[in-house]
Amino acid sequence: MTDDWIMGEVLKEVFPLLDGPDLASCMLVSRQWRDVAKDDYFWKCLCAKRWPSVCKNKPTSAMSYRSFFQTFSKCRPRQSLPPPKLSFKDLVFYIDIWSDRRLIFSEPVPGPVLRAGIADPPLGISESMKLYLLGPNYKMMMPVEPQFIVPREEPLSVSVLVGRRDSGKVACVVGKALFDYVDWSTFRALAYEFLNLSPNYPFVSGVRAWISLLFMAGAGQDTAQVFGLEIDFCDAATSEREVLWLLDMLDWK
């Protein structure tokens, strides 16, 4: 018996116990180790640990077990989005808010206004609201000028359309949604509606557009003062690039 033969037999006992990265590393040690580790039996053992059903009935494929394992065991890195086709300067948001049936806010808001956010929080807001406004998370919001009063007991609703300057088309962000969640401890009211996306994206669904009214602190017993408004797509978009891609996917008419 030669030393090479003995070493080969030892490797054949050890290699089935290794995981994929270790077995791949062994192929770099020497020519003998590489030739032994190339045996598809060892890679079949790895596949049997990871996908037992595959080894019971391997799909018809020209791939060896080694290729199969190396192909499907890799973690796919998250791909970054390419630059969006839209920009905020192309957009105008048409925002209407009702208290019961009375219109209390109605403005066409240029996209750059929402993009700029609320850089200088007004006096008279809560400390928690101030920290939120100045926090690092991406936000689409605007100051409301002049500020307006909303009654606590009356139902509030909102409609948001968005227009494109580049094509002249319009899409719906929120048809008409009630502010049916009001949290007086965080000084905000929230409404949402599921986005109506283009039929070109049939497998994308369940994405909500959230609209928030931001209140001044120290609201009265019957009313609250609105100083700002926020639009949020946190279900699917948490950066400017993601928001613009999402808006481009709307059902533009």
Side-chain angles (χ1 to χ4, degrees):
M1 296 183 185
T2 64
D3 290 343
D4 285 347
W5 183 87
I6 294 173
M7 175 59 71
E9 293 303 303
V10 171
L11 295 177
K12 290 177 184 178
E13 294 297 320
V14 173
F15 283 173
L17 307 177
L18 301 181
D19 59 20
D22 289 339
L23 185 57
S25 297
C26 288
M27 298 182 70
L28 304 177
V29 173
S30 67
R31 179 177 297 179
Q32 183 189 18
W33 284 45
R34 182 195 64 197
D35 291 342
V36 176
K38 284 169 61 177
D39 190 327
D40 219 33
Y41 167 75
F42 303 123
W43 297 96
K44 182 178 180 181
C45 292
L46 287 171
C47 288
K49 295 175 184 176
R50 184 75 175 268
W51 310 283
S53 57
V54 169
C55 294
K56 292 178 182 178
N57 186 10
K58 186 172 181 285
T60 303
S61 170
M63 282 196 297
S64 63
Y65 278 107
R66 175 186 166 198
S67 297
F68 190 93
F69 184 86
Q70 292 177 336
T71 298
F72 294 106
S73 65
K74 293 178 182 177
C75 293
R76 298 179 63 183
R78 183 179 179 184
Q79 297 180 342
S80 59
L81 287 172
K85 302 173 186 177
L86 276 178
S87 70
F88 275 103
K89 68 181 182 185
D90 298 325
L91 302 174
V92 178
F93 292 83
Y94 301 94
I95 304 173
D96 297 291
I97 300 174
W98 291 266
S99 176
D100 199 359
R101 297 182 180 180
R102 179 172 53 92
L103 186 65
I104 57 175
F105 180 85
S106 182
E107 289 291 336
V109 180
V113 172
L114 278 168
R115 182 177 185 268
I118 301 176
D120 298 314
L123 298 175
I125 64 173
S126 69
E127 191 62 28
S128 61
M129 178 63 75
K130 184 177 180 180
L131 290 174
Y132 175 73
L133 296 179
L134 298 177
N137 294 336
Y138 177 73
K139 305 173 188 70
M140 284 175 58
M141 57 174 54
M142 57 171 282
V144 172
E145 296 175 353
Q147 299 177 4
F148 60 90
I149 302 294
V150 294
R152 286 195 178 208
E153 300 303 324
E154 288 187 10
L156 300 174
S157 59
V158 60
S159 168
V160 180
L161 302 178
V162 58
R164 296 179 64 148
R165 299 182 191 274
D166 55 348
S167 65
K169 293 186 176 182
V170 177
C172 179
V173 177
V174 171
K176 195 167 186 181
L178 284 173
F179 288 98
D180 53 5
Y181 178 73
V182 182
D183 187 347
W184 296 109
S185 65
T186 60
F187 302 99
R188 66 175 60 218
L190 295 99
Y192 77 87
E193 192 169 271
F194 289 97
L195 287 176
N196 185 23
L197 300 180
S198 165
N200 294 329
Y201 307 98
F203 301 110
V204 182
S205 63
V207 179
R208 291 173 291 186
W210 291 89
I211 313 296
S212 299
L213 296 180
L214 309 179
F215 300 140
M216 302 291 288
Q221 290 276 338
D222 303 318
T223 61
Q225 186 171 344
V226 177
F227 75 88
L229 185 146
E230 180 179 14
I231 301 177
D232 189 359
F233 307 101
C234 58
D235 293 340
T238 57
S239 69
E240 180 174 319
R241 179 171 290 194
E242 291 172 349
V243 165
L244 289 172
W245 267 106
L246 186 62
L247 291 173
D248 195 36
M249 293 166 62
L250 293 176
D251 192 14
W252 294 92
K253 303 294 187 182

